[in-house]
Amino acid sequence: MFIDSHCHINFPELAARMPEILAKMADNKVTHALCVSVDLPDFPQVLALAHEYPHIYASVGVHPDYEDTPEPSVEQLVELSNDPKIIAIGETGLDYFRLQGDLEWQRERFRTHIKASRITRKPLIIHTRSASEDTIRIMREEGAGTEAGGVAGVMHCFTESLEVARAAIDLGFYISFSGIVTFKSAKDLQAVALEVPLERILIETDSPYLAPMPHRGKMNEPGFVAHVGEYIAKLKGIPVEQVAEQTSANFFKLFNVVA
Ligand SMILES: [Zn+2]
Ligand SMILES: [Zn+2]
């Protein structure tokens, strides 16, 4: 069994094909998926999916790339996450690649999510792009991670260096690899994946984006997470069943989900 730890199946291009998407998950032994919230207006749809399907879970959060969207307060995130199917806070984090200029609002929004995670004890889903130094700094300042009495989380769609991975792992975090790790050009990332212990790895699609090989360029979907698991098994020279079992166990442990 595989688990897609990060997808956006509420996005219209995927939501419109739900029966097909669920069938493809079953075909590829993808047993669960976490549908990740990106803003407050879309959150009701994310929650509705999690309520409709027992093996779909959800998070609540506002993505760092969404500039013109209602800003969440700590209290709001805490209140919205008060549902057994909401297992995480996010996605949150910093993105200095997609947006430039004065991004103090992005850092403030990130701090808000970490505070909500500490109150709710629900793990963080962190997006970081071209901003790893500030990301790790703010995680430490706000007490994200198990060391500081907070809860851990996942560095999703990881594309940073081994040093950043280690800093996050030291805070109790997991590292999630997407289809990017299967790309021929991703040699540096493959070297990182080789070093990260399997006990700290999650796998994801981030669908509808970033389809793994051999579907690169097509619309991605949770069933394709099996290709990410297969690739990591090949990279590490271990059986694919071991990757499937361990990454699924990691998911259940991190998000406190009883399968
Ligand atoms: Zn992301
Ligand atoms: Zn995402």
Side-chain angles (χ1 to χ4, degrees):
M1 70 194 272
F2 295 101
I3 297 179
D4 185 358
S5 72
H6 190 117
C7 63
H8 300 287
I9 45 174
N10 62 304
F11 286 11
E13 57 270 51
L14 291 178
R17 299 169 46 224
M18 201 51 79
E20 205 186 314
I21 280 164
L22 297 172
K24 179 82 69 86
M25 282 175 69
D27 284 351
N28 290 344
K29 299 195 173 63
V30 179
T31 54
H32 302 74
L34 173 48
C35 181
V36 176
S37 158
V38 294
D39 64 11
L40 297 178
D42 276 2
F43 175 71
Q45 297 159 17
V46 172
L47 184 62
L49 281 173
H51 283 164
E52 189 171 353
Y53 304 106
H55 59 313
I56 306 292
Y57 292 86
S59 71
V60 60
V62 181
H63 194 291
D65 286 347
Y66 287 55
E67 191 168 6
D68 299 313
T69 195
E71 197 61 45
S73 67
V74 175
E75 295 70 30
Q76 221 172 352
L77 291 173
V78 169
E79 196 186 310
L80 291 173
S81 72
N82 185 19
D83 183 292
K85 289 305 289 285
I86 303 294
I87 60 172
I89 303 293
E91 62 181 283
T92 182
L94 302 175
D95 192 331
Y96 300 168
F97 182 83
R98 288 279 296 276
L99 298 175
Q100 280 94 34
D102 181 8
L103 297 179
E104 187 53 30
W105 62 268
Q106 220 182 49
R107 291 184 285 275
E108 275 310 306
R109 184 184 289 174
F110 185 28
R111 291 180 192 278
T112 298
H113 284 76
I114 298 174
K115 289 186 176 97
S117 163
R118 285 182 60 98
I119 294 168
T120 59
R121 313 302 298 172
K122 296 193 185 197
L124 289 158
I125 299 169
I126 296 185
H127 169 114
T128 182
R129 198 158 177 215
S130 303
S132 59
E133 227 170 275
D134 279 3
T135 301
I136 297 287
R137 176 176 59 81
I138 291 175
M139 285 164 73
R140 289 194 181 120
E141 285 175 4
E142 294 294 335
T146 45
E147 286 291 295
V151 282
V154 55
M155 307 302 283
H156 111 87
C157 198
F158 194 79
T159 52
E160 303 295 327
S161 66
L162 183 58
E163 195 189 347
V164 175
R166 287 200 171 124
I169 288 171
D170 284 347
L171 292 170
F173 275 69
Y174 289 73
I175 307 297
S176 180
F177 295 101
S178 68
I180 293 176
V181 79
T182 71
F183 297 170
K184 248 200 168 104
S185 54
K187 294 280 175 260
D188 292 352
L189 186 61
Q190 289 156 6
V192 172
L194 195 56
E195 293 295 322
V196 174
L198 192 58
E199 290 67 33
R200 289 305 188 88
I201 291 181
L202 297 182
I203 52 175
E204 66 171 86
T205 59
D206 206 9
S207 50
Y209 313 118
L210 296 168
M213 294 296 277
H215 304 286
R216 189 172 181 182
K218 288 194 216 141
M219 196 194 295
N220 201 0
E221 59 178 85
F224 291 169
V225 82
H227 297 296
V228 179
E230 282 158 13
Y231 186 87
I232 287 176
K234 208 173 73 185
L235 187 72
K236 287 186 178 288
I238 54 178
V240 66
E241 294 76 22
Q242 193 184 340
V243 172
E245 267 169 41
Q246 186 65 54
T247 55
S248 297
N250 295 344
F251 179 91
F252 294 134
K253 185 177 175 199
L254 172 64
F255 295 112
N256 284 312
V257 171
V258 180

